[in-house]
Structure formats: C-alpha cells, structure tokens
Amino acid sequence: MHSPPSGSPLYQSPKMRRGLLLLLLCQLSSYTLVTPGKVCSRPLVGPSIEHSDFQRVYEVGQEVFLRCIDGYTAISGQRKIVCSANGRWSSLTFTCEPKRCSNPGPLLNGKIHIDDNLFQSIINYTCNEGYILHGANTSECLHDGTWSNQLPECEPVVCGLPKTPKYARLSYSRVVGNTTLFGDSVTYECFPPFVLFGNEVGFCKPDGSWTEPPECRLVTCPPPTAIPNGFLVLAVIREHGYTEEVTYGCSPNYVLDGPREVECQKTGNWSSKPVCRAPCTVGIKRGRILYHNRKIWIENLKPNRVLHSERLSVYCKNKEKDCGYPVVTQCIDGELTIPACYDEPSAARYKVYASSLPSEIEMC
Ligand SMILES: *[C@@H]1O[C@H](CO)[C@@H](O)[C@H](O)[C@H]1NC(C)=O
Ligand SMILES: *[C@@H]1O[C@H](CO)[C@@H](O)[C@H](O)[C@H]1NC(C)=O
Ligand SMILES: *[C@@H]1O[C@H](CO)[C@@H](O)[C@H](O)[C@H]1NC(C)=O
Ligand SMILES: *[C@@H]1O[C@H](CO)[C@@H](O)[C@H](O)[C@H]1NC(C)=O
C-alpha cells in the first residue's frame, strides 16, 4: 500500500486528520449531545446573560466569561465558566436581574401609575381634576436605571375673573391680578332692594370657566288686598318689596285662622293670607246648654252666638235608663250642628214640665 503523494487532494496530514475527526465528532455531538470527554457545546445561559466568545464548540479547559445584557445587573455567581473533561461546563451560577429605576415621585396634585420600576417598565402620569399636565404623561425605565422623561408638573386650571351681574358686587376667596384658580370661589351679593336669584357662591370649574352667575332682580308684590270679614292693619295701600310684611285683623266676633303677618315673597306673591272664621248661632229654642262649663238656659245666652271653634253641649235622654247626658258640638266657621239625639220640647212642655227635660233629670 502506498499513500498518495503529499499535495494531492487525497493526501491528509495527521494534523488535518485530527481536525476532521474533531469536526466529525462535533457534528455527531450536535445529534447525540453525548461527546464523552472531548468538547463542550455552547453553554446554555439565561436570556439576560451573554458571554465573551461565541463558538459552536469549546475545547476542554476553555474558559468563557459571562456578563449581564444591557439593562441587567449581576447579582450573584461565578462570572467564569470552564469546559471540563466530561464535556460539561462548570456549574452555571451566574445570575442577572433587571436594573431598577429610582422612585419617580411624588407628583404634586397628580398621580403616578406605576406597576414596577424595573428596566423597560412604563409608568404613566395623570393630574388631579382641575390641574393640567405639563410635560410627558409617560416615562420608561432605561437600561442605565434612569427614567426616559422628567417628572411632569400638574398646574392648576386658570379661570379669568367671573362676570359681575348687574346690581351685584362680588367678593373673592382669593384673587391674584386678573386670574383665579380652579376651586376658587366668589360670593355674589345684590344691592338692596335687588334680590338674588341663583347661586350665591360661584366656583372656578375644572374646564377653566365659572359657574353660572346669579341674577339680581327687583321684587315687588302687588298692593295687598283685603280679606272677607277682616281688614288690613296697615293704612297705606301700595306695592311692597321682598320681605316686607303687612298685618291682617278680623271684624268683631270673627276669628283669625292663619298667620296675622303676611310677607312679600321672592316670587312677587304674598305668602298665604289668613281667613276670618264666622261665629255661630246655637239653633235651639228651648233647652239648656253646657257652655264654658256652665249650664245655662238658651234664652239666657245673649246674644245667641258662639265663636268659631268654640264647643258646647246639648242634652239628650237615654230612654231605657231614664237619664240625661251631654253631647258636644263645635262651631265651625258659622256652622254648628245640633246632635240628632237632641229632642226639642214643645213650648207647652217646656213651660210646664221643664224639670223633666234631659238636662234636668238624673245624669247617666
Ligand atoms: C400606561 O398607559 C398605557 C396606555 O394608556 C397602558 O396600557 C398602561 O397599562 C399604563 N400603565 C400603567 C402602569 O398604568
Ligand atoms: C398621554 O398623552 C397622549 C397625547 O399626548 C394621549 O393620547 C394619551 O392618552 C395620554 N396617556 C395617558 C395615560 O394619559
Ligand atoms: C388685567 O387685565 C387688564 C385688561 O385685560 C390688563 O390691562 C392688566 O395688565 C391685567 N393685569 C394683570 C395683573 O394681569
Ligand atoms: C303667584 O300667584 C299666582 C296666583 O296664585 C300664581 O299663578 C303664580 O304662579 C304665582 N307666581 C309665582 C312666581 O309663584
């Protein structure tokens, strides 16, 4: 057997042969993963780790240095791993974690919406009602541990000065130059005798405008009118302004029902007037009544009149027990009902047998 001459394509030096073998083995290893005692395959490192040399295979004894990818920091473990004789890497203990950005806050008059402050986290900023955000409303934690944007500012909404309604003056809670801020208030006051309609207090709203101002109007009530069976205490009949009062009274024997004083209201109407209630005549001719705790014959009630809401009793008879009893009735605005059990005696009986009337016999 003779070898092909060196230089021919078939010639292989021993070194080349070794290299070919290595390549073959390596290819084999990629199929079987078992390369006893010869080489190490690429080290399996976590997603946040990268290494210095990048090769397909590594020889026994070869060292590889690990480092954290951008945005991550090493927290523990050996930076160096070595391909050992059994084709395995020395134990991989190196770990990295994302960098942390500092706490961005606080945001005055606003809120920071933050889930976490790790590398690549995105936080949002919002301002409270009545404040406007100046700056970026979002920020990202960068690889170097800083935020991509500066903290924004929440500046208060600015309102101009509120309009002054006619016949009114304003007093502010606070005013600087020509501007007022969200939440500022103003108090409206009408010059007398004008009357305020609407809200007495106004506010600078979150949209930069003022609440609707009130109106100042003149309120007059028409000249007060008389009431039946009564009179106005006041002499001069004229128009009246808001809150002015007039006083009513009733004719003799009429009883005032309701307030004596009546006021001119904001609506331009008078508050409800009182009513004069009429007296009653006691509608019996012959008999005795119990009135003001006194038993009196009707002909002695002079004049025959009781006032509105007064009570009195007439007498009825219990025929079974042969006794008398009083029954109450009341004068209601000129009407006094005589109880049905009342039995009016004839004129003759009244004269002769007065002592047998229900009011005179034994009480039940
Ligand atoms: C920030 O805003 C975005 C878009 O509106 C939203 O998808 C995200 O969840 C918000 N992040 C936080 C932390 O609130
Ligand atoms: C941030 O501002 C943009 C417009 O500048 C807006 O479209 C977006 O909704 C805002 N995001 C948040 C969370 O307020
Ligand atoms: C207020 O407004 C008036 C007129 O609009 C202006 O001339 C004046 O300079 C303003 N004053 C301030 C303090 O802004
Ligand atoms: C005033 O009284 C009149 C008559 O009672 C009524 O029609 C009118 O609605 C009242 N006005 C107001 C403003 O309440």
Side-chain angles (χ1 to χ4, degrees):
M1 292 271 300
H2 76 269
S3 308
S6 84
S8 91
L10 291 175
Y11 173 79
Q12 291 179 318
S13 73
K15 197 178 167 194
M16 281 173 80
R17 247 183 257 135
R18 210 171 48 241
L20 261 178
L21 187 68
L22 204 65
L23 194 71
L24 194 73
L25 273 171
C26 168
Q27 265 163 356
L28 263 176
S29 79
S30 62
Y31 294 117
T32 64
L33 290 174
V34 182
T35 53
K38 292 291 184 288
V39 291
C40 289
S41 53
R42 222 181 299 157
L44 290 167
V45 294
S48 55
I49 300 171
E50 60 188 4
H51 47 83
S52 48
D53 304 299
F54 200 82
Q55 295 169 220
R56 251 189 121 91
V57 289
Y58 300 81
E59 296 198 37
V60 171
Q62 200 174 345
E63 293 177 345
V64 166
F65 290 89
L66 305 177
R67 59 168 178 262
C68 297
I69 62 168
D70 224 15
Y72 286 74
T73 39
I75 50 164
S76 65
Q78 287 292 321
R79 193 168 281 276
K80 185 175 85 177
I81 52 172
V82 184
C83 178
S84 53
N86 62 5
R88 299 223 178 96
W89 290 100
S90 56
S91 64
L92 189 68
T93 53
F94 190 65
T95 47
C96 301
E97 67 170 15
K99 283 189 182 161
R100 259 169 212 287
C101 282
S102 59
N103 196 323
L107 181 61
L108 208 64
N109 301 313
K111 276 198 186 68
I112 300 175
H113 305 272
I114 182 162
D115 289 336
D116 62 51
N117 59 348
L118 301 176
F119 171 55
Q120 285 176 326
S121 295
I122 290 174
I123 60 173
N124 296 327
Y125 301 105
T126 53
C127 289
N128 296 342
E129 189 184 58
Y131 291 84
I132 295 172
L133 190 131
H134 290 268
N137 65 3
T138 184
S139 194
E140 185 180 347
C141 181
L142 300 178
H143 64 87
D144 61 357
T146 62
W147 292 105
S148 63
N149 290 314
Q150 279 188 323
L151 200 65
E153 278 179 32
C154 290
E155 286 171 14
V157 161
V158 173
C159 286
L161 294 182
K163 274 197 293 189
T164 307
K166 247 179 161 176
Y167 314 117
R169 81 171 139 246
L170 313 182
S171 46
Y172 300 102
S173 61
R174 189 204 64 87
V175 64
V176 177
N178 288 350
T179 61
T180 52
L181 302 180
F182 167 67
D184 281 348
S185 65
V186 66
T187 306
Y188 299 91
E189 196 188 330
C190 293
F191 298 117
F194 289 89
V195 182
L196 188 136
F197 288 82
N199 291 317
E200 196 185 335
V201 180
F203 293 96
C204 169
K205 295 194 290 182
D207 68 358
S209 69
W210 280 91
T211 49
E212 197 62 30
E215 262 185 76
C216 294
R217 290 191 224 138
L218 211 48
V219 169
T220 52
C221 287
T225 51
I227 55 172
N229 303 301
F231 54 89
L232 267 166
V233 173
L234 191 91
V236 188
I237 299 297
R238 58 168 174 89
E239 283 192 335
H240 288 264
Y242 176 50
T243 72
E244 281 191 308
E245 286 185 342
V246 292
T247 307
Y248 283 93
C250 286
S251 309
N253 301 317
Y254 281 78
V255 174
L256 193 91
D257 186 2
R260 187 167 289 276
E261 254 87 48
V262 171
E263 193 187 62
C264 176
Q265 295 178 313
K266 224 174 172 178
T267 57
N269 280 346
W270 290 97
S271 62
S272 57
K273 292 175 195 165
V275 175
C276 292
R277 303 290 183 192
C280 301
T281 301
V282 183
I284 64 174
K285 293 197 187 72
R286 297 174 284 273
R288 244 181 168 188
I289 60 169
L290 182 63
Y291 180 54
H292 288 325
N293 283 323
R294 280 172 51 223
K295 260 175 113 171
I296 53 172
W297 295 101
I298 192 68
E299 56 264 38
N300 294 334
L301 182 68
K302 280 177 186 165
N304 181 335
R305 181 204 301 129
V306 295
L307 300 185
H308 168 71
S309 89
E310 280 189 326
R311 288 160 194 273
L312 59 87
S313 300
V314 296
Y315 288 88
C316 293
K317 187 176 179 179
N318 181 330
K319 288 186 177 130
E320 280 163 34
K321 294 182 182 164
D322 196 25
C323 57
Y325 61 95
V327 181
V328 178
T329 181
Q330 189 179 21
C331 170
I332 306 288
D333 197 17
E335 298 280 332
L336 186 129
T337 310
I338 300 301
C341 63
Y342 175 76
D343 190 13
E344 179 102 347
S346 67
R349 193 167 120 82
Y350 186 52
K351 272 204 178 113
V352 181
Y353 301 108
S355 60
S356 67
L357 293 177
S359 56
E360 308 310 307
I361 60 175
E362 202 184 334
M363 289 293 110
C364 297

